């Protein structure tokens, strides 16, 4: 299937690389592919984009609009503060009618670490995206774990932990639940219903940051038991 992954950071790389290795035709979106590939500083996964690209030759790095136009399913893996601009660049017409999986968190680093959220409680980044692009089928998921776990849940607890999703379109939520299972191996996907649940998923992130500081590594997740 044609897939679009907006974002060239560690999340975009993890998702695009996994989908390509599963045989999908993946285009990764960037503001400026040439500039992104020319950067000499490593990304937050410790590798340079050019090195990642050399190891993932089948993934094309293209402008946001070309990645969105190409895709049947789109992942938004851009920085929270840049997400709306990235999606505007992707083009409303290229998002319309498509499942748009939002992985982006509304993190505000302007006052240093730990980050705060620039939207919370009564609204969320996912809902703002849905409101700005009403014809896209926004589903929030994967934002509660580290990039490595997103596409390899068995990396912790033998995969026996919980991934959440939410969104306003029933079929889109079902599509994403199936994709998480079949493409990435998630066995325990919990559907939280409509997109207002994204407030809770995004407000979990400050706890994630605190757990990261306490545990000293990002390889953890949560499991819902009852
Ligand atoms: N890192 C994780 O493990 C993790 C886990 C869960 C959720 N998340 C969320 O996933 C998202 C991606 O995280 P990341 O660590 O992979 O990368 P990131 O550094 O947060 O984002 C990189 C991407 O954002 C784009 N970008 C940055 N500023 C922009 C702007 N002003 N306008 C348009 N695009 C802009 C960059 O475009 P260029 O390609 O042009 O540079 C790049 O593609 C974030 O929202 C993060 O909160 C991350």
């Amino acid at each position: 299937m044609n897939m679009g992954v907006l974002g060239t950071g560690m999340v975009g790389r993890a998702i695009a690389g996994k989908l390509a290795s599963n045989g999908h035709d993946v285009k990764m979106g960037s503001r400026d592919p040439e500039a992104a590939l020319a950067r000499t500083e490593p990304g937050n996964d410790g590798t340079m984009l050019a090195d990642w690209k050399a190891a993932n030759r089948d993934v094309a790095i293209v402008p946001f609009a070309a990645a969105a136009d190409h895709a049947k399913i789109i992942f938004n893996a851009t920085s929270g503060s840049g997400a709306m601009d990235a999606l505007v660049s992707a083009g409303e017409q290229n998002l319309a009618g498509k499942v748009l999986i939002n992985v982006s968190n509304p993190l505000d680093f302007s006052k240093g670490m730990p980050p705060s959220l620039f939207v919370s409680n009564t609204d969320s980044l996912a809902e703002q995206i849905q409101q700005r692009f009403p014809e896209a089928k926004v589903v929030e998921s994967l934002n509660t774990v580290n990039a490595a776990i997103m596409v390899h849940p068995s990396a912790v607890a033998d995969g026996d932990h919980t991934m959440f999703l939410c969104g306003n379109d029933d079929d889109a939520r079902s599509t994403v639940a199936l994709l998480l299972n079949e493409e990435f191996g998630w066995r325990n996907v919990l559907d939280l219903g409509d997109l207002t649940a994204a407030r809770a998923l995004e407000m979990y992130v400050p706890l994630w940051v605190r757990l990261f500081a306490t545990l000293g590594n990002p390889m953890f997740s949560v499991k819902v038991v009852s």
Side-chain angles (χ1 to χ4, degrees):
M1 187 188 289
N2 287 1
M3 298 282 194
V5 180
L6 309 181
T8 58
M10 64 187 287
V11 174
R13 295 177 200 184
I15 292 172
K18 180 66 175 175
L19 291 173
S21 74
N22 289 351
H24 296 286
D25 186 350
V26 185
K27 291 196 192 305
M28 174 185 260
S30 169
R31 283 169 291 190
D32 182 341
E34 276 185 35
L37 282 164
R39 275 181 211 135
T40 51
E41 75 276 15
N44 43 11
D45 63 351
T47 62
M48 290 193 299
L49 184 62
D51 292 338
W52 180 87
K53 173 72 179 98
N56 292 269
R57 291 185 186 282
D58 292 341
V59 178
I61 303 181
V62 298
F64 287 130
D69 179 38
H70 163 82
K72 274 183 146 5
I73 294 179
I74 301 167
F75 289 79
N76 174 35
T78 58
S79 71
S81 58
M84 208 58 87
D85 284 348
L87 290 165
V88 168
S89 299
E92 197 158 357
Q93 71 285 2
N94 293 328
L95 305 177
K98 297 179 181 175
V99 174
L100 173 60
I101 303 172
N102 185 53
V103 189
S104 184
N105 283 315
L107 295 180
D108 177 358
F109 293 96
S110 63
K111 295 186 176 65
M113 291 294 281
S116 59
L117 301 175
F118 62 74
V119 55
S120 63
N121 287 327
T122 54
D123 199 0
S124 62
L125 179 58
E127 288 168 277
Q128 292 184 345
I129 291 169
Q130 183 66 83
Q131 192 169 19
R132 174 64 183 77
F133 302 99
E135 290 184 57
K137 298 171 184 174
V138 178
V139 175
E140 176 110 323
S141 194
L142 294 173
N143 69 309
T144 53
V145 294
N146 174 260
I149 299 175
M150 291 176 191
V151 297
H152 188 35
S154 60
V156 293
D158 290 328
D160 185 19
H161 51 106
T162 309
M163 177 46 61
F164 305 100
L165 63 78
C166 63
N168 293 340
D169 186 287
D170 293 347
D171 290 342
R173 292 204 311 278
S174 300
T175 297
V176 175
L178 199 64
L179 181 151
L180 292 172
N181 175 258
E182 292 184 346
E183 303 294 339
F184 300 159
W186 284 94
R187 303 198 303 267
N188 181 3
V189 177
L190 192 53
D191 183 338
L192 298 177
D194 72 75
L195 201 59
T196 58
R199 300 169 192 178
L201 295 183
E202 294 173 9
M203 287 192 291
Y204 166 76
V205 178
L207 174 58
W208 185 95
V209 172
R210 191 74 188 199
L211 288 167
F212 177 39
T214 301
L215 299 173
N217 79 80
M219 299 305 286
F220 61 85
S221 182
V222 294
K223 177 182 176 182
V224 175
V225 293
S226 61

